[in-house]
Amino acid sequence: MKVILIFIAVFISFSVLSSESSICEKSKTEKSFVPKYAKNFRIDYFRNFKIVRVGNDSYLLSTGRVNCSDSFQAKILTPVSHVAFMSTTYLPALEILGKTDTLMAFQGKHYIVSKAYNKSKLRDLAFKFNPEDLITLKADLIMGYTSNLSDEKQKQIFKKLSLPVVINKDFEELSPLARAEWIIFISSFYNLEDKAIAVFSEIERNYIGLKIKNDKLSKAKVIVGSIENGYWITCGGKSDLAQLISDAGGVLAFKNDSNETQKVSLEKLVKNNQTFDVWLTHNMWLSAQDRLKAFQQDNRYRFVKAKDVYNNNLVRNENGATDFWETAVQRPDLLLQEISELLHPQSYDVSLKWYRKI
Amino acid sequence: MKLKYSILFVPVLALALALLFIGESGLSNDAVLVNELRLPKVMACLFAGGLLAVSGLLMQIFFQNPLAGPDILGISSGSSLFVALWMMAGAGLSPFVQEWGMNAMSFFGAISVFLLLLFFLKRNVSRVSLIIIGLLISSFASSGISVLVSMSQALQLKNFLVWSMGSFRNITQAELPRFLVFSILSIFPVWFFLKPLNQFLLSENYAKSVGVNVKKMRMVFVTIAAFQISIVTLYCGPIGFIGIISPHLARLYLRRAQLTHLLPAAFLVGSFLALLTEMILVMTPTLSISVNAILGLIGAPIIVLYLYRQRSLSL
Amino acid sequence: MKTILQLKNVSIGFNQILYANINAELKEGAFVCLLGINGIGKSCLLKTMAGLQEVKSGEVYIEHKALKSMDSFDLAKKIGIVLTEKLQIDYLTVFELVSFGRAPYTGRRGDLSKDDKKLVQKVLEDVGISEIGKKYFSELSDGQKQKALIARALAQTPELLILDEPTTYLDIPSKIELIALLKKLTQEKKITVLLSTHDLDLIKDSADEFWLMGKDGEFSSGSPEEMNSSGLIANNFFRSGSK
């Protein structure tokens, strides 16, 4: 009798234990968050945990320990309070979520423009990092992009060392809204998805509203770039910037289907014998003086005729890094508004946050 | 002999003319396109290519080393290092001081290496040691640049990487006369010293035994070569391969060894290679390849083929 | 008979002195052999005499004029040298190589005059390689290469021809031929010949004089008979107990 009882006890505990592990893989999703624009992440919610997927990697996020089998790239305890980031594009999310004090390390802190961080308290991470260094961080979350972390071998090492390394693929998104939607991804580590979703909805609403308004306006002629090495260097025809220009009611010079930087022959520039309404230089010039000096040095600039010239480096930090790559990426609605102002000054009255007139 | 030279002129002229009338916007004789964009480009190819070839030939004879080239003396690396230093240091300055400073630094870098080499030459260092010094300078400069790059911020880094790609399209029409004057100035001394330079084909000792002032000629060699390279680096950025392969191709074609014969031939071969590279770029506007990448693709197989046919490298 | 070259208390070497206190003379038309064990400084001495290297101390006189005060072209007109350096040049014809020897006489651009060309042709004949004038130097046999280099030195119309181990890498027939050629030059052209060699047997009948850089640092010179009978040769070249 006793033996049977013991047997039953063992059997029950076994099944309880095994059904605990099958909770992870086989349990029912309570709900899912599938982004509207972004293609590279999704969040699936379960009773005690959530699974965040980025491409082929999945991460287990939970507030307490959950017994699961080991197929996750990393298991993260939420909400995180000590994070290390590798890109300035993640920082505005922290500001919006009110979590700037959780940043403890950054790769290249001289790039940070925002004044919300006490740089002297931030640990600097080298560009080529090594796992041992990351261990000493004692961070709950280390977020970066593939060129730093994605080696398959690196991923194995992180997993073995149980390092909470998460790969953020926002840069693979193909539109400004898609990139901005990653604020929700970041918020999931803080359990603040509701806030992030609300903020994104506002961004989306604003963006679409602007787009509709701009559709009705006459198109402005826009050119982007400058001369380097005897070529005209400009953004791709399907890049984020190109889309913003299009959504702002502009027509970009040199159509093409790429989202990579383009090297355009100067002959095309000469042939393109029109006066542009707006020229966004996106280079090192800080003033009209700089521009005029460049013209003096290289008289092929006279083939670029534009009524107004702007550069995206209005706000810079002491090291020359611009805010464009920080806050503008997170707020494409505000950026679209600003570009709309540049292209259609009669229809807008916006004070510039990122562009300066030169 | 005359026939062989004339034959060499043909492809050079043909390509030069072709590039004057064919560009990324197709066939055209639009005066603006031709004068502003294509003419400077063609001139750059002709002279930069030619200068690199001549400096390569001089170095191969002087160092008795068939693999010598403008990079071996460490001069282009010296230029690059100085430019890198300037870019890292000049972060706060306005972009235009930056750019002018960059030009000046490239020149000073080349000249500094040349002065360093002269210093050793005055102390009668052997030819082989000089190559080693050049290689060490190259090494030092590359390492220095790596360190600077790792310490720098992305913006400056990007600027440096842009400059460090060679291009025949940097020269504007306004800069063209200056470039041509410097180029011709740097070739003239070679003709002037042709006789003693020729004697180095055998060896320094044999040259000395027929009365050549070897110490003086060493300095002449280095000065001329350094001047030629610094001009090309200044106006076109660092360009590899042409200096090494043009002399060999010229030799193979003419089947002559003396500088007197090879000089114009090597110049033409260098010009041809540069023009060919530009033609490839014009034909493939959608690919973003650099001049050095194309030269590497053309040049490396040529050297291998040459080695295979000759079974060894000699002057 | 004219004295072509004199060495007065000459010490030779690169950084340190390799050999000291050499006193000797070369007379017109003499055929002299420089002997000494490997590494003693024969090459260095020959180069010093030709002005390719500086003396550490002492003076070299060319026809009673101090070498170091001479114009380099004038010196080149007096002394021609053949070195041990291996030349690796493609596409250089024998005629072109020999023409290099006319450098002390040609003008600024190095162009050969008609007379220069005739002289080069004559030199090729004297040396016995006139049929291969158009061939590339790199295609010649070792023996022919040596002859071409001698021709180059002769094109300088020197009074003294210095050769550093010219026979060492040649086969026996070529060695014999070369020595005979050099002997002929001393007899017919009155050119003084000084060469270093290890092939004692081959030169013992042709040489007028031996110069010996002794193992012990003592330089001596004399006729082959004198040098042999004094036992100096034996001491320097043969291991004790033999010959």
Side-chain angles (χ1 to χ4, degrees):
Chain A
M1 191 51 193
K2 266 207 183 143
V3 176
I4 301 174
L5 276 175
I6 293 173
F7 209 121
I8 293 173
V10 170
F11 185 77
I12 291 175
S13 38
F14 233 113
S15 21
V16 168
L17 281 169
S18 51
S19 61
E20 268 274 68
S21 31
S22 69
I23 281 177
C24 284
E25 317 245 35
K26 291 163 191 154
S27 21
K28 246 183 83 182
T29 344
E30 289 199 353
K31 68 171 182 188
S32 292
F33 175 80
V34 178
K36 202 161 165 189
Y37 300 92
K39 299 208 177 356
N40 289 325
F41 79 93
R42 64 177 286 147
I43 310 175
D44 294 299
Y45 295 87
F46 300 83
R47 194 150 60 91
N48 293 329
F49 57 92
K50 52 194 172 188
I51 298 181
V52 177
R53 279 179 246 265
V54 178
N56 287 332
D57 298 322
S58 38
Y59 304 96
L60 180 71
L61 277 61
S62 57
T63 51
R65 296 190 117 267
V66 177
N67 257 338
C68 268
S69 67
D70 243 346
S71 62
F72 297 103
Q73 175 59 35
K75 298 186 192 172
I76 318 268
L77 281 178
T78 59
V80 293
S81 54
H82 292 88
V83 307
F85 281 176
M86 313 298 175
S87 169
T88 52
T89 56
Y90 314 154
L91 295 177
L94 287 186
E95 253 175 277
I96 290 171
L97 299 171
K99 291 290 177 188
T100 54
D101 52 352
T102 60
L103 187 70
M104 47 165 303
F106 193 81
Q107 187 185 75
K109 57 183 188 177
H110 45 260
Y111 287 124
I112 302 178
V113 178
S114 166
K115 304 242 191 287
Y117 305 93
N118 186 346
K119 285 195 208 170
S120 56
K121 295 244 171 81
L122 281 182
R123 187 164 137 183
D124 215 357
L125 293 170
F127 189 70
K128 270 207 160 121
F129 41 39
N130 77 62
E132 279 191 42
D133 196 35
L134 295 180
I135 293 179
T136 63
L137 270 184
K138 299 208 204 306
D140 330 297
L141 173 66
I142 301 167
M143 185 184 291
Y145 49 98
T146 46
S147 67
N148 291 346
L149 300 173
S150 77
D151 220 31
E152 280 312 309
K153 273 201 205 152
Q154 290 263 44
K155 290 202 314 204
Q156 305 255 13
I157 296 176
F158 294 140
K159 199 164 163 178
K160 276 208 191 124
L161 296 173
S162 298
L163 279 175
V165 175
V166 168
I167 308 229
N168 181 325
K169 289 199 175 170
D170 66 351
F171 63 94
E172 280 184 15
E173 300 295 351
L174 298 173
S175 74
L177 282 177
R179 269 191 96 151
E181 208 167 5
W182 281 73
I183 185 177
I184 299 168
F185 173 82
I186 294 176
S187 71
S188 67
F189 296 93
Y190 292 93
N191 298 332
L192 290 173
E193 293 93 311
D194 290 335
K195 182 155 185 197
I197 289 173
V199 169
F200 183 71
S201 296
E202 192 191 327
I203 294 176
E204 183 192 10
R205 229 178 7 251
N206 292 342
Y207 193 99
I208 294 178
L210 285 163
K211 189 169 168 191
I212 292 174
K213 175 173 173 180
N214 291 327
D215 266 343
K216 305 197 181 96
L217 301 174
S218 61
K219 301 276 174 237
K221 292 192 280 229
V222 182
I223 186 169
V224 171
S226 56
I227 299 181
E228 267 169 34
N229 268 346
Y231 284 91
W232 182 261
I233 306 297
T234 182
C235 62
K238 293 266 185 270
S239 62
D240 280 9
L241 182 60
Q243 291 176 51
L244 284 161
I245 288 171
S246 167
D247 293 338
V251 173
L252 181 59
F254 312 126
K255 279 195 197 318
N256 62 78
D257 287 328
S258 164
N259 65 354
E260 305 278 316
T261 311
Q262 298 291 300
K263 257 167 87 162
V264 177
S265 151
L266 289 180
E267 297 201 359
K268 293 244 158 77
L269 189 67
V270 173
K271 277 265 143 124
N272 203 319
N273 198 5
Q274 52 177 324
T275 305
F276 294 95
D277 296 304
V278 172
W279 172 13
L280 303 176
T281 65
H282 285 224
N283 64 1
M284 301 275 282
W285 296 343
L286 289 170
S287 64
Q289 225 182 353
D290 289 345
R291 175 167 53 88
L292 292 168
K293 280 206 199 135
F295 275 49
Q296 271 175 356
Q297 230 198 331
D298 187 340
N299 67 353
R300 295 172 297 192
Y301 269 113
R302 72 186 196 281
F303 297 123
V304 183
K305 291 166 281 209
K307 293 189 196 140
D308 293 313
V309 188
Y310 299 95
N311 200 0
N312 63 345
N313 55 2
L314 179 65
V315 176
R316 308 185 333 144
N317 71 4
E318 61 282 359
N319 295 317
T322 72
D323 189 34
F324 189 80
W325 298 108
E326 234 174 80
T327 53
V329 177
Q330 186 55 67
R331 295 302 304 258
D333 56 331
L334 298 177
L335 181 58
L336 180 59
Q337 190 182 46
E338 184 152 328
I339 295 180
S340 308
E341 157 76 36
L342 300 180
L343 270 49
H344 306 283
Q346 338 81 324
S347 309
Y348 286 90
D349 186 17
V350 172
S351 60
L352 301 182
K353 292 190 218 2
W354 295 292
Y355 280 92
R356 65 170 78 206
K357 194 172 195 348
I358 58 169
Chain B
M1 238 328 243
K2 289 240 165 82
L3 181 66
K4 278 200 157 184
Y5 271 123
S6 326
I7 297 182
L8 257 188
F9 264 106
V10 170
V12 173
L13 278 176
L15 265 184
L17 283 172
L19 278 170
L20 279 177
F21 295 109
I22 303 175
E24 281 90 353
S25 46
L27 191 65
S28 141
N29 64 350
D30 177 82
V32 170
L33 282 181
V34 170
N35 284 328
E36 290 286 335
L37 296 180
R38 295 176 186 171
L39 185 64
K41 186 174 75 173
V42 166
M43 286 292 142
C45 289
L46 283 173
F47 282 90
L51 280 185
L52 286 170
V54 167
S55 67
L57 176 60
L58 287 179
M59 273 178 262
Q60 285 175 9
I61 291 181
F62 179 62
F63 293 113
Q64 295 270 304
N65 185 336
L67 283 176
D71 333 321
I72 203 177
L73 286 181
I75 290 182
S76 353
S77 330
S79 275
S80 297
L81 176 64
F82 272 57
V83 170
L85 276 170
W86 175 253
M87 292 188 132
M88 306 312 165
L93 305 170
S94 93
F96 294 90
V97 176
Q98 280 191 38
E99 282 195 42
W100 270 116
M102 194 167 86
N103 290 336
M105 290 304 263
S106 158
F107 186 69
F108 286 134
I111 292 301
S112 299
V113 172
F114 140 67
L115 286 175
L116 190 62
L117 291 168
L118 273 189
F119 171 81
F120 285 105
L121 282 177
K122 280 212 162 115
R123 274 147 187 73
N124 242 331
V125 133
S126 81
R127 225 176 21 214
V128 171
S129 300
L130 202 69
I131 299 193
I132 293 178
I133 290 172
L135 288 172
L136 288 172
I137 292 175
S138 257
S139 224
F140 177 79
S142 301
S143 310
I145 292 172
S146 292
V147 168
L148 288 174
V149 159
S150 68
M151 281 172 19
S152 85
Q153 307 158 31
L155 299 160
Q156 297 160 327
L157 175 58
K158 176 175 177 268
N159 273 341
F160 179 67
L161 291 177
V162 159
W163 179 84
S164 68
M165 291 199 294
S167 168
F168 295 115
R169 300 183 186 205
N170 282 339
I171 301 185
T172 63
Q173 224 234 4
E175 292 174 320
L176 192 57
R178 250 178 290 161
F179 172 69
L180 290 176
V181 165
F182 283 136
S183 299
I184 294 171
L185 272 177
S186 72
I187 300 240
F188 178 70
V190 185
W191 279 113
F192 189 75
F193 289 107
L194 206 55
K195 176 175 151 183
L197 289 178
N198 232 356
Q199 294 291 338
F200 277 80
L201 258 181
L202 298 183
S203 80
E204 267 188 16
N205 276 328
Y206 277 125
K208 200 165 182 184
S209 77
V210 292
V212 172
N213 183 340
V214 166
K215 269 199 216 171
K216 174 176 148 193
M217 285 316 301
R218 279 176 178 173
M219 295 202 225
V220 166
F221 254 117
V222 171
T223 312
I224 296 178
F227 187 40
Q228 292 170 338
I229 299 163
S230 68
I231 294 172
V232 175
T233 314
L234 199 57
Y235 284 91
C236 305
I239 296 185
F241 273 106
I242 293 184
I244 303 181
I245 49 181
S246 306
H248 289 297
L249 290 178
R251 217 171 269 127
L252 201 61
Y253 174 70
L254 280 187
R255 306 188 94 80
R256 305 302 295 261
Q258 289 196 67
L259 194 56
T260 350
H261 308 121
L262 283 183
L263 205 62
F267 188 99
L268 288 172
V269 171
S271 303
F272 177 75
L273 287 171
L275 289 166
L276 182 64
T277 307
E278 259 304 313
M279 186 51 97
I280 293 175
L281 282 173
V282 164
M283 294 291 153
T284 59
T286 47
L287 298 174
S288 284
I289 354 174
S290 69
V291 161
N292 277 321
I294 296 179
L295 283 171
L297 285 174
I298 304 177
I302 290 183
I303 295 190
V304 171
L305 203 69
Y306 180 87
L307 273 171
Y308 173 71
R309 291 195 55 186
Q310 303 291 105
R311 303 293 195 271
S312 74
L313 279 179
S314 49
L315 287 178
Chain C
M1 251 193 326
K2 192 153 77 142
T3 302
I4 300 294
L5 185 145
Q6 270 179 312
L7 294 167
K8 286 212 174 132
N9 285 330
V10 167
S11 300
I12 57 169
F14 300 101
N15 296 319
Q16 298 131 325
I17 295 184
L18 203 52
Y19 210 93
N21 279 330
I22 303 171
N23 286 287
E25 246 176 37
L26 283 175
K27 295 250 192 274
E28 189 185 16
F31 190 115
V32 180
C33 278
L34 177 62
L35 307 170
I37 54 174
N38 277 332
I40 198 96
K42 299 194 294 298
S43 282
C44 187
L45 176 59
L46 295 177
K47 286 188 187 152
T48 308
M49 288 168 72
L52 296 182
Q53 248 180 273
E54 281 182 14
V55 289
K56 295 302 274 181
S57 67
E59 288 281 359
V60 178
Y61 291 94
I62 311 292
E63 291 180 336
H64 306 291
K65 235 201 209 166
L67 184 147
K68 62 176 183 237
S69 69
M70 284 180 79
D71 171 68
S72 60
F73 284 117
D74 288 339
L75 181 61
K77 291 178 186 174
K78 299 277 178 206
I79 304 183
I81 191 163
V82 176
L83 299 162
T84 51
E85 295 168 1
K86 282 231 165 311
L87 300 181
Q88 267 213 300
I89 316 168
D90 275 337
Y91 307 123
L92 189 71
T93 64
V94 172
F95 193 92
E96 284 177 320
L97 175 78
V98 176
S99 305
F100 276 175
R102 292 304 296 159
Y105 303 95
T106 56
R108 161 130 295 259
R109 281 190 22 126
D111 291 334
L112 295 178
S113 66
K114 267 214 169 90
D115 289 332
D116 287 320
K117 289 188 190 163
K118 274 202 202 143
L119 191 139
V120 170
Q121 194 55 41
K122 177 96 183 16
V123 163
L124 288 174
E125 280 166 19
D126 289 340
V127 165
I129 51 172
S130 52
E131 334 76 55
I132 56 171
K134 290 214 159 90
K135 279 191 135 196
Y136 291 137
F137 178 78
S138 48
E139 294 173 333
L140 302 182
S141 70
D142 285 343
Q144 289 173 319
K145 279 186 180 163
Q146 285 294 66
K147 285 190 184 172
L149 288 171
I150 292 174
R152 188 205 71 91
L154 286 177
Q156 292 167 246
T157 56
E159 296 184 355
L160 167 62
L161 189 63
I162 296 180
L163 304 103
D164 193 354
E165 303 221 16
T167 56
T168 311
Y169 296 106
L170 301 180
D171 60 4
I172 306 239
S174 304
K175 282 194 225 254
I176 298 177
E177 205 185 339
L178 201 81
I179 305 285
L181 166 64
L182 291 170
K183 186 68 184 173
K184 193 176 80 160
L185 288 172
T186 61
Q187 290 168 330
E188 291 180 9
K189 311 271 178 192
K190 295 273 177 267
I191 295 177
T192 312
V193 169
L194 170 64
L195 71 153
S196 64
T197 185
H198 289 294
D199 293 314
L200 277 173
D201 279 342
L202 292 173
I203 44 102
K204 67 176 193 283
D205 295 325
S206 313
D208 297 325
E209 200 179 325
F210 280 171
W211 284 6
L212 173 64
M213 291 170 84
K215 274 195 295 207
D216 46 3
E218 281 290 317
F219 183 87
S220 45
S221 58
S223 71
E225 299 77 35
E226 285 166 11
M227 300 292 282
N228 258 320
S229 56
S230 67
L232 277 168
I233 307 286
N235 278 339
N236 270 281
F237 291 100
F238 305 116
R239 296 193 199 287
S240 48
S242 57
K243 260 243 165 52

